[in-house]
Amino acid sequence: MNSKYRLNYFNAKGSGEVIRWIFAYAGVEYEDNRLDPVTEWPAVKHRAPYGKLPFLEVDGKVLGESYAIQRFLAKRFGLAGSSAWEEAEVDALADYIAEVKRKQPNWVAAAVFVQEDELGKGPANHASREDSLREDYLRESVSVLKRLENMLQNNSKKFYFVGEKPSWADFVVTRFLDGLLQFDQAVLNRYPLLSAHRQHIRNLHGINHWLQKRPDTVY
């Protein structure tokens, strides 16, 4: 009997997007339930295990935390590595990217800029703060990009970070790179393997179709 999946998240890419990529690549149907943060989310918040989105419903059970959901689905759909060691390497890479993202600012900071403007600090302050944020973000990312480029160089296949087939960590890295490119479209120019890897993952069957049909959202 096939399981029924329902992903609950906002109408955004954010922490729900890698989950959607896993479903897309695996060719598994699911309900992509996009909640309005004002009119819908408050009414279902009590159902979220940790009081936040995303959360996944599977055959009457509920699972919270985006990385836990990704790991669960990756194991079900063959995206977690081909051995216990590969699975550990995949987890390590995904956890590394999560740590990097926690240390760096992201597009959520835009809400702070808007709020500052509304308080009367003006668009000039907005622009200077945003430029500073972008520069810090890209500068701190250089060491991360070098490390990722070297990891691909050390994999003889060079298409994937671990083993000879895609893993959910490849999706996590690609989404991270997508975020950097929103700040600077030239950020990958010095990293040919990373740039090729990103394009390869985005062109995988299922994911390429999802990218063409997904809702157009800012974040």
Side-chain angles (χ1 to χ4, degrees):
M1 181 177 178
N2 293 331
S3 293
K4 293 183 179 180
Y5 302 94
R6 177 186 173 99
L7 173 63
N8 300 279
Y9 193 58
F10 299 119
N11 184 30
K13 301 178 186 73
S15 298
E17 192 65 5
V18 170
I19 300 169
R20 297 179 183 123
W21 284 27
I22 292 173
F23 279 123
Y25 180 78
V28 174
E29 292 186 4
Y30 70 105
E31 182 181 351
D32 187 13
N33 187 33
R34 294 172 178 249
L35 298 165
D36 184 277
V38 177
T39 62
E40 297 175 309
W41 165 233
V44 301
K45 187 174 182 178
H46 67 282
R47 293 171 47 209
Y50 302 101
K52 62 180 183 178
L53 294 175
F55 68 91
L56 181 71
E57 298 175 74
V58 186
D59 300 332
K61 297 180 180 179
V62 181
L63 180 63
E65 292 297 318
S66 60
Y67 271 49
I69 295 169
Q70 291 166 36
R71 286 188 174 96
F72 167 75
L73 294 175
K75 289 179 181 179
R76 278 204 165 187
F77 305 148
L79 286 164
S82 299
S83 66
W85 182 256
E86 283 193 5
E87 184 176 325
E89 288 187 309
V90 168
D91 283 349
L93 176 56
D95 288 344
Y96 170 65
I97 297 299
E99 180 182 358
V100 169
K101 291 172 68 176
R102 279 195 296 269
K103 291 180 179 179
Q104 295 178 321
N106 55 45
W107 285 108
V108 176
V112 176
F113 296 136
V114 172
Q115 187 178 44
E116 287 182 346
D117 287 346
E118 291 176 348
L119 292 174
K121 296 186 178 181
N125 182 68
H126 175 159
S128 63
R129 289 287 301 280
E130 187 172 11
D131 288 343
S132 176
L133 173 65
R134 180 181 290 107
E135 291 173 6
D136 289 346
Y137 189 76
L138 293 173
R139 182 171 57 253
E140 293 172 7
S141 298
V142 169
S143 62
V144 177
L145 295 177
K146 288 181 178 178
R147 180 171 288 110
L148 293 173
E149 183 84 354
N150 288 337
M151 289 176 67
L152 285 174
Q153 183 67 49
N154 292 332
N155 187 337
S156 60
K157 298 298 179 180
K158 295 186 176 58
F159 286 125
Y160 311 111
F161 280 95
V162 178
E164 300 182 5
K165 64 179 185 178
S167 73
W168 68 283
D170 289 301
F171 301 170
V172 168
V173 172
T174 300
R175 283 290 303 139
F176 170 69
L177 298 178
D178 286 350
L180 289 181
L181 287 166
Q182 285 185 279
F183 279 95
D184 183 356
Q185 294 183 357
V187 72
L188 294 182
N189 286 358
R190 296 182 179 180
Y191 308 98
L193 295 180
L194 264 182
S195 183
H197 172 271
R198 174 179 174 269
Q199 289 302 323
H200 179 71
I201 296 300
R202 290 170 63 90
N203 287 330
L204 289 174
H205 180 72
I207 292 180
N208 58 359
H209 179 63
W210 167 250
L211 293 177
Q212 294 172 20
K213 74 171 189 177
R214 70 182 177 184
D216 185 16
T217 60
V218 175
Y219 176 62

